[in-house]
Amino acid sequence: MINNTDIKQVFLNKRMLICIFTGFSSGLPLYILIGLLPAWLRSEGVDLKAIGLFALIQLPFTWKFLWAPLFDRYIPPLGRRRGWLFISQIALLSSIPAFGALHPGLDLWTIAYLACVVAFFSASQDVVLDAYRRELLLDNELGLGNAIHVNAYKIASLIPGSLSLILADHLPWKSVFFITALFMLLGIVMTLFVSEPELKNGAPKTLRAAVVEPFQEFIGRNGLKSAGLVLAFIFFYKLGDSMATALATPFYLDMGFSKTEIGLIAKNAGLWPSVIGGLLGGVWMIRLGINRALWLFGLVQMVAILGFAWLAIVGHSLLWLAIAISVEALGVGLGTAAFVAFIAHTTHPLYTATQFALFTSLAAVPRTFANAATGYLVEWFGWVSFFLFCFVVAVPGMLLLLKVAPWNALQKSENA
């Protein structure tokens, strides 16, 4: 049984502080793509179907496991993790401001190509950040460390989803994208000052070993059937939530909320419930274990989708906007913290980058392919029925918990 002193020691260490920076640096470019970019396009008159199809620009998050072995095999000057982090972060800092030089009415395809470039470097950064965090944290710190990472990830959404939207009411979009990109400097500073994780067993000797051995180890450790169930769970667990939030900003705009209202209320209403829920979730995971957290937090995450359906019925109401966003943030914050901890626990330390990338790529599939259809689904169903549909889609992921994370099963990290 873990006591309060142990929990305090887990909270108050340098590794938890680093997780704040990894989360912020990871979340910023993604929320630019899924939050700020749709808001920009919608405000410039681009239709919902085209905005929905823009989800396909996130294909690099789905296929990042293909080049992840390169990050395990090759070691740049700053080290295997810090070197690749620095390269990807500099590329993001350079490419994000380029959006401001384009016009949605004239350069839509160019914007799509640029967004793919940003997504590629963002996905590459995620591969290395996930591997670095897994190698940094002790097994009994995975729950809390990943909860802090997810919270910082959420906090990063306030830059493109709140500050940038407010700035867009007062500044040209060129300045908005430039200012937003400057926040990548926080991640670059982290990369320069943290230490490189100890490489206990050395990097893979060949590129073939870096590609093949992670898959052989995962299947050999779990068996083919169990490995398939784990992969199916990773695919389905966040599917309903991902679809429900894919067009969140256009949804708010269609409900009659101004960009400033969205920036001040919709985004900030989700901050504190997300932070509190994530931190509580991390502490609860220390006591509950990852399996039970997946059950409890997943139920909250699933029910939170119904808040959007209710907001679609109520319409323009600042109170219900704040309530719906707060409940959603709490549920998703809890569910994501447990989910990321589960993925981290499933990886093997020898093949962190490749296996973590494979699992998170599967989790990104719904955000890419299913979300690309959300614009069409809204056109067919309307907002209320769309959110009810997303609620039903969340059911299979919960049912798979019976096999991959039984309520009474014990895990190594729970006894650490």
Side-chain angles (χ1 to χ4, degrees):
M1 182 69 178
I2 298 177
N3 57 42
N4 292 332
T5 302
D6 293 329
I7 293 175
K8 184 177 180 180
Q9 290 175 347
V10 172
F11 255 116
L12 303 178
N13 65 56
K14 181 181 177 181
R15 293 183 293 275
M16 297 301 128
L17 176 62
I18 293 175
C19 286
I20 296 175
F21 284 89
T22 66
F24 186 89
S25 187
S26 178
L28 183 67
L30 176 62
Y31 281 110
I32 289 173
L33 293 174
I34 68 175
L36 184 60
L37 195 62
W40 176 43
L41 297 175
R42 189 60 170 168
S43 66
E44 295 293 324
V46 179
D47 64 74
L48 278 178
K49 291 180 180 179
I51 295 174
L53 288 173
F54 255 76
L56 294 174
I57 64 175
Q58 297 171 54
L59 280 173
F61 292 96
T62 304
W63 297 103
K64 61 186 178 182
F65 67 91
L66 293 177
W67 63 90
L70 298 174
F71 302 142
D72 276 337
R73 171 65 181 91
Y74 299 107
I75 304 177
L78 287 178
R80 187 168 71 151
R81 302 309 180 208
R82 294 172 65 238
W84 287 117
L85 272 179
F86 185 76
I87 292 171
S88 60
Q89 289 167 344
I90 289 295
L92 287 168
L93 179 65
S94 303
S95 57
I96 291 171
F99 283 116
L102 303 171
H103 189 282
L106 302 174
D107 308 307
L108 196 58
W109 279 106
T110 306
I111 292 171
Y113 296 141
L114 176 60
C116 288
V117 171
V118 173
F120 172 80
F121 288 116
S122 179
S124 299
Q125 180 193 221
D126 285 355
V127 170
V128 189
L129 282 175
D130 289 339
Y132 175 79
R133 198 171 65 256
R134 179 62 181 95
E135 294 164 2
L136 175 74
L137 297 172
L138 305 177
D139 278 355
N140 68 326
E141 295 176 337
L142 285 176
L144 183 59
N146 282 289
I148 292 174
H149 171 86
V150 169
N151 273 329
Y153 191 98
K154 283 277 199 177
I155 290 172
S157 72
L158 291 178
I159 305 303
S162 181
L163 175 63
S164 300
L165 288 178
I166 295 171
L167 291 176
D169 272 341
H170 306 283
L171 297 174
W173 280 103
K174 181 178 181 179
S175 300
V176 171
F177 280 109
F178 178 77
I179 294 171
T180 305
L182 289 179
F183 284 89
M184 282 304 305
L185 291 172
L186 293 175
I188 294 173
V189 170
M190 176 206 73
T191 299
L192 293 175
F193 282 92
V194 297
S195 58
E196 181 73 13
E198 181 182 354
L199 196 58
K200 296 180 181 179
N201 297 288
K205 302 301 181 183
T206 65
L207 183 57
R208 182 183 182 279
V211 172
V212 176
E213 290 179 4
F215 296 93
Q216 291 179 334
E217 188 282 330
F218 174 63
I219 295 174
R221 171 162 42 101
N222 294 279
L224 186 60
K225 181 179 179 181
S226 296
L229 288 172
V230 169
L231 295 178
F233 167 74
I234 290 172
F235 178 91
F236 283 109
Y237 188 67
K238 297 286 292 178
L239 180 57
D241 157 60
S242 179
M243 291 181 66
T245 55
L247 294 175
T249 304
F251 167 59
Y252 305 145
L253 292 170
D254 282 3
M255 292 297 103
F257 297 103
S258 69
K259 291 190 290 291
T260 297
E261 287 175 332
I262 296 171
L264 290 175
I265 299 176
K267 303 302 179 179
N268 286 295
L271 173 60
W272 295 114
S274 177
V275 171
I276 294 171
L279 291 177
L280 287 176
V283 173
W284 288 340
M285 269 189 280
I286 295 175
R287 296 184 178 277
L288 291 171
I290 296 174
N291 282 14
R292 294 185 178 185
L294 285 168
W295 280 92
L296 295 175
F297 301 168
L299 285 173
V300 177
Q301 171 186 270
M302 182 177 169
V303 172
I305 297 173
L306 298 177
F308 286 112
W310 178 249
L311 181 61
I313 295 172
V314 174
H316 188 278
S317 168
L318 296 180
L319 174 62
W320 283 110
L321 175 66
I323 292 173
I325 293 299
S326 297
V327 173
E328 183 270 341
L330 176 64
V332 175
L334 290 171
T336 303
F339 183 59
V340 175
F342 172 82
I343 290 177
H345 186 268
T346 305
T347 62
H348 190 283
L350 290 178
Y351 313 105
T352 313
T354 302
Q355 289 186 347
F356 216 124
L358 172 64
F359 301 146
T360 53
S361 292
L362 272 177
V365 167
R367 193 172 62 226
T368 304
F369 289 101
N371 290 5
T374 53
Y376 291 90
L377 291 173
V378 172
E379 293 286 341
W380 292 335
F381 295 154
W383 285 111
V384 177
S385 297
F386 168 72
F387 290 124
L388 294 177
F389 174 78
C390 293
F391 176 81
V392 174
V393 168
V395 173
M398 293 299 299
L399 293 178
L400 282 167
L401 285 171
L402 293 168
K403 293 293 185 180
V404 302
W407 178 266
N408 290 319
L410 293 176
Q411 295 170 302
K412 292 179 182 178
S413 63
E414 294 171 24
N415 297 322

